[in-house]
Amino acid sequence: MQNKKLWLLSLILIFTLSACQNDDSAKGKEEPGESNTATEQNENQTNDNQEDSQKQNQQENQDDEKQEEESNEQENNEKNIPDRFENEVPDENGIITVLEPKATDIVVNKKRKLPDGYVPPNLVYPDIPFSFDEKIDKRKMRKVAAGPIEELFKGAEEAGIDLVAVSGYRSYATQKAIFNRNVQQNGEEHAKMYSAMPGHSEHQTGLTMDVSTVAVTFQLVEDFRETEEGAWLAKHAHEYGFIIRYPKGKEDITGYAYEPWHIRYVGKEMATEIYEQQLTLEEYFNLYPN
Ligand SMILES: [Zn+2]
């Protein structure tokens, strides 16, 4: 009896493993470019980090398998909402520290923060034009999003659209400095309204880029939407896996004013669904910050 069970278990395991290999698109979470963390690490990262991320990757692969088994069981489930959202527990202030911060479908907002000191894996410099010359942190993006943003800029260029990147990755420490300076200058209430608290900025995920164009002198302003470039971005970003993260009219849901310049990588499939149904990331996962 025991042997029969074992035999059955290994059959299921073999089946699940081969399903994983054959159908990457079903996962949608981890893109191919990101699995090779050990070989493609950013120069700055230490060996310790590499080991950690290898361990985490193993854990993530196991989680993926588990998720896939479960999704097979629940074929009627319309949206495949990851388990981790149900396992997240708010602290005494109602703030959730997100689980699996490396997932590309992570949701960070005013009620949901990254773990303290979180540094995303595989930060690289995408080969796209920036509004400044220095080779600094805010040029960086996670590798998983860097390829797609290069494609996006290439697509824009081919359409005669002149996009320029302004700001990508921002570290926990930088966000903390920005927030504290704002508190000192304007008081805590004002600071909370206009700048994200450390850990709450989507820029810290490395999946986000602010873009602009010369017609609005590379500023991050609502008028960007009225430019040819802003219109093109709103219409085509999803084709490259990006969403306009803070749409107009959804301020109460996202917790942020309309930002036609702020794009966030989620992968083509999810981005297209969000674009076509005119959703926010919060609505897509039924997660409301308020
Ligand atoms: Zn932004």
PDB file of all heavy atoms in Angstrom, residues 167 170 202-203 208-210 220 246 259 261-263, ligand 1:
ATOM      1  N   SER A 167      13.480  58.237 -14.296  1.00  0.00           N
ATOM      2  CA  SER A 167      13.799  57.699 -12.974  1.00  0.00           C
ATOM      3  C   SER A 167      13.315  56.260 -12.806  1.00  0.00           C
ATOM      4  O   SER A 167      12.131  55.987 -12.989  1.00  0.00           O
ATOM      5  CB  SER A 167      13.156  58.586 -11.903  1.00  0.00           C
ATOM      6  OG  SER A 167      13.589  58.192 -10.628  1.00  0.00           O
ATOM      7  N   ARG A 170      14.952  53.104  -7.012  1.00  0.00           N
ATOM      8  CA  ARG A 170      15.289  53.982  -5.884  1.00  0.00           C
ATOM      9  C   ARG A 170      15.439  53.098  -4.654  1.00  0.00           C
ATOM     10  O   ARG A 170      14.543  52.327  -4.335  1.00  0.00           O
ATOM     11  CB  ARG A 170      14.153  54.986  -5.681  1.00  0.00           C
ATOM     12  CG  ARG A 170      14.537  56.225  -4.914  1.00  0.00           C
ATOM     13  CD  ARG A 170      13.351  57.164  -4.828  1.00  0.00           C
ATOM     14  NE  ARG A 170      12.899  57.637  -6.130  1.00  0.00           N
ATOM     15  CZ  ARG A 170      11.617  57.954  -6.402  1.00  0.00           C
ATOM     16  NH1 ARG A 170      10.685  57.827  -5.487  1.00  0.00           N
ATOM     17  NH2 ARG A 170      11.288  58.377  -7.602  1.00  0.00           N
ATOM     18  N   GLU A 202       7.030  52.208  -5.173  1.00  0.00           N
ATOM     19  CA  GLU A 202       7.126  51.171  -6.193  1.00  0.00           C
ATOM     20  C   GLU A 202       8.481  51.211  -6.903  1.00  0.00           C
ATOM     21  O   GLU A 202       8.924  50.212  -7.466  1.00  0.00           O
ATOM     22  CB  GLU A 202       5.986  51.315  -7.201  1.00  0.00           C
ATOM     23  CG  GLU A 202       5.694  49.999  -7.850  1.00  0.00           C
ATOM     24  CD  GLU A 202       4.592  50.069  -8.872  1.00  0.00           C
ATOM     25  OE1 GLU A 202       4.609  50.968  -9.711  1.00  0.00           O
ATOM     26  OE2 GLU A 202       3.707  49.205  -8.807  1.00  0.00           O
ATOM     27  N   HIS A 203       9.131  52.356  -6.839  1.00  0.00           N
ATOM     28  CA  HIS A 203      10.451  52.457  -7.474  1.00  0.00           C
ATOM     29  C   HIS A 203      11.470  51.532  -6.808  1.00  0.00           C
ATOM     30  O   HIS A 203      12.465  51.164  -7.418  1.00  0.00           O
ATOM     31  CB  HIS A 203      10.949  53.908  -7.457  1.00  0.00           C
ATOM     32  CG  HIS A 203      10.260  54.754  -8.483  1.00  0.00           C
ATOM     33  ND1 HIS A 203      10.719  54.875  -9.764  1.00  0.00           N
ATOM     34  CD2 HIS A 203       9.124  55.503  -8.419  1.00  0.00           C
ATOM     35  CE1 HIS A 203       9.900  55.669 -10.449  1.00  0.00           C
ATOM     36  NE2 HIS A 203       8.921  56.053  -9.645  1.00  0.00           N
ATOM     37  N   THR A 208       9.900  49.533 -12.123  1.00  0.00           N
ATOM     38  CA  THR A 208       9.201  50.753 -12.482  1.00  0.00           C
ATOM     39  C   THR A 208      10.130  51.764 -13.152  1.00  0.00           C
ATOM     40  O   THR A 208      11.305  51.830 -12.826  1.00  0.00           O
ATOM     41  CB  THR A 208       8.616  51.353 -11.176  1.00  0.00           C
ATOM     42  OG1 THR A 208       7.445  50.630 -10.826  1.00  0.00           O
ATOM     43  CG2 THR A 208       8.270  52.803 -11.319  1.00  0.00           C
ATOM     44  N   MET A 209       9.572  52.532 -14.093  1.00  0.00           N
ATOM     45  CA  MET A 209      10.343  53.617 -14.707  1.00  0.00           C
ATOM     46  C   MET A 209       9.420  54.809 -14.935  1.00  0.00           C
ATOM     47  O   MET A 209       8.286  54.642 -15.378  1.00  0.00           O
ATOM     48  CB  MET A 209      10.951  53.148 -16.041  1.00  0.00           C
ATOM     49  CG  MET A 209      11.893  54.131 -16.702  1.00  0.00           C
ATOM     50  SD  MET A 209      13.398  54.508 -15.748  1.00  0.00           S
ATOM     51  CE  MET A 209      14.397  53.047 -16.028  1.00  0.00           C
ATOM     52  N   ASP A 210       9.896  55.997 -14.594  1.00  0.00           N
ATOM     53  CA  ASP A 210       9.199  57.222 -14.973  1.00  0.00           C
ATOM     54  C   ASP A 210       9.763  57.658 -16.313  1.00  0.00           C
ATOM     55  O   ASP A 210      10.983  57.720 -16.475  1.00  0.00           O
ATOM     56  CB  ASP A 210       9.443  58.327 -13.940  1.00  0.00           C
ATOM     57  CG  ASP A 210       8.808  58.025 -12.594  1.00  0.00           C
ATOM     58  OD1 ASP A 210       7.803  57.301 -12.560  1.00  0.00           O
ATOM     59  OD2 ASP A 210       9.332  58.521 -11.575  1.00  0.00           O
ATOM     60  N   LEU A 220       7.961  65.365 -15.002  1.00  0.00           N
ATOM     61  CA  LEU A 220       6.937  64.359 -14.705  1.00  0.00           C
ATOM     62  C   LEU A 220       5.665  65.119 -14.346  1.00  0.00           C
ATOM     63  O   LEU A 220       5.419  65.433 -13.179  1.00  0.00           O
ATOM     64  CB  LEU A 220       7.405  63.447 -13.569  1.00  0.00           C
ATOM     65  CG  LEU A 220       8.764  62.791 -13.826  1.00  0.00           C
ATOM     66  CD1 LEU A 220       9.208  61.962 -12.623  1.00  0.00           C
ATOM     67  CD2 LEU A 220       8.737  61.924 -15.088  1.00  0.00           C
ATOM     68  N   TYR A 246      -0.793  54.343 -12.187  1.00  0.00           N
ATOM     69  CA  TYR A 246      -1.720  55.219 -11.463  1.00  0.00           C
ATOM     70  C   TYR A 246      -2.621  55.961 -12.447  1.00  0.00           C
ATOM     71  O   TYR A 246      -2.381  57.107 -12.797  1.00  0.00           O
ATOM     72  CB  TYR A 246      -0.929  56.214 -10.594  1.00  0.00           C
ATOM     73  CG  TYR A 246       0.073  55.527  -9.692  1.00  0.00           C
ATOM     74  CD1 TYR A 246       1.435  55.771  -9.820  1.00  0.00           C
ATOM     75  CD2 TYR A 246      -0.348  54.610  -8.731  1.00  0.00           C
ATOM     76  CE1 TYR A 246       2.360  55.125  -9.002  1.00  0.00           C
ATOM     77  CE2 TYR A 246       0.559  53.955  -7.921  1.00  0.00           C
ATOM     78  CZ  TYR A 246       1.909  54.218  -8.064  1.00  0.00           C
ATOM     79  OH  TYR A 246       2.814  53.577  -7.269  1.00  0.00           O
ATOM     80  N   GLU A 259      -0.687  59.575 -12.741  1.00  0.00           N
ATOM     81  CA  GLU A 259       0.714  59.716 -13.155  1.00  0.00           C
ATOM     82  C   GLU A 259       0.909  59.043 -14.521  1.00  0.00           C
ATOM     83  O   GLU A 259       1.304  57.882 -14.594  1.00  0.00           O
ATOM     84  CB  GLU A 259       1.667  59.077 -12.127  1.00  0.00           C
ATOM     85  CG  GLU A 259       1.683  59.780 -10.779  1.00  0.00           C
ATOM     86  CD  GLU A 259       2.847  59.333  -9.886  1.00  0.00           C
ATOM     87  OE1 GLU A 259       3.638  58.465 -10.310  1.00  0.00           O
ATOM     88  OE2 GLU A 259       2.954  59.866  -8.770  1.00  0.00           O
ATOM     89  N   TRP A 261       3.134  59.178 -16.495  1.00  0.00           N
ATOM     90  CA  TRP A 261       4.552  58.919 -16.798  1.00  0.00           C
ATOM     91  C   TRP A 261       5.110  57.692 -16.096  1.00  0.00           C
ATOM     92  O   TRP A 261       6.204  57.245 -16.410  1.00  0.00           O
ATOM     93  CB  TRP A 261       5.389  60.137 -16.364  1.00  0.00           C
ATOM     94  CG  TRP A 261       5.294  60.401 -14.878  1.00  0.00           C
ATOM     95  CD1 TRP A 261       6.034  59.813 -13.884  1.00  0.00           C
ATOM     96  CD2 TRP A 261       4.399  61.298 -14.219  1.00  0.00           C
ATOM     97  NE1 TRP A 261       5.650  60.277 -12.650  1.00  0.00           N
ATOM     98  CE2 TRP A 261       4.649  61.200 -12.821  1.00  0.00           C
ATOM     99  CE3 TRP A 261       3.403  62.187 -14.664  1.00  0.00           C
ATOM    100  CZ2 TRP A 261       3.947  61.952 -11.877  1.00  0.00           C
ATOM    101  CZ3 TRP A 261       2.715  62.933 -13.708  1.00  0.00           C
ATOM    102  CH2 TRP A 261       2.988  62.805 -12.348  1.00  0.00           C
ATOM    103  N   HIS A 262       4.389  57.141 -15.131  1.00  0.00           N
ATOM    104  CA  HIS A 262       4.929  56.079 -14.276  1.00  0.00           C
ATOM    105  C   HIS A 262       4.465  54.712 -14.804  1.00  0.00           C
ATOM    106  O   HIS A 262       3.297  54.357 -14.684  1.00  0.00           O
ATOM    107  CB  HIS A 262       4.440  56.320 -12.836  1.00  0.00           C
ATOM    108  CG  HIS A 262       4.856  55.293 -11.828  1.00  0.00           C
ATOM    109  ND1 HIS A 262       5.684  55.582 -10.760  1.00  0.00           N
ATOM    110  CD2 HIS A 262       4.539  53.987 -11.697  1.00  0.00           C
ATOM    111  CE1 HIS A 262       5.857  54.491 -10.030  1.00  0.00           C
ATOM    112  NE2 HIS A 262       5.159  53.502 -10.575  1.00  0.00           N
ATOM    113  N   ILE A 263       5.390  53.957 -15.399  1.00  0.00           N
ATOM    114  CA  ILE A 263       5.018  52.639 -15.909  1.00  0.00           C
ATOM    115  C   ILE A 263       5.657  51.542 -15.062  1.00  0.00           C
ATOM    116  O   ILE A 263       6.755  51.685 -14.537  1.00  0.00           O
ATOM    117  CB  ILE A 263       5.363  52.443 -17.406  1.00  0.00           C
ATOM    118  CG1 ILE A 263       6.846  52.719 -17.685  1.00  0.00           C
ATOM    119  CG2 ILE A 263       4.472  53.319 -18.270  1.00  0.00           C
ATOM    120  CD1 ILE A 263       7.271  52.325 -19.088  1.00  0.00           C
TER     121      ILE A 263
HETATM  122 ZN    ZN B   1       7.258  57.011 -10.563  1.00  0.00          ZN
END
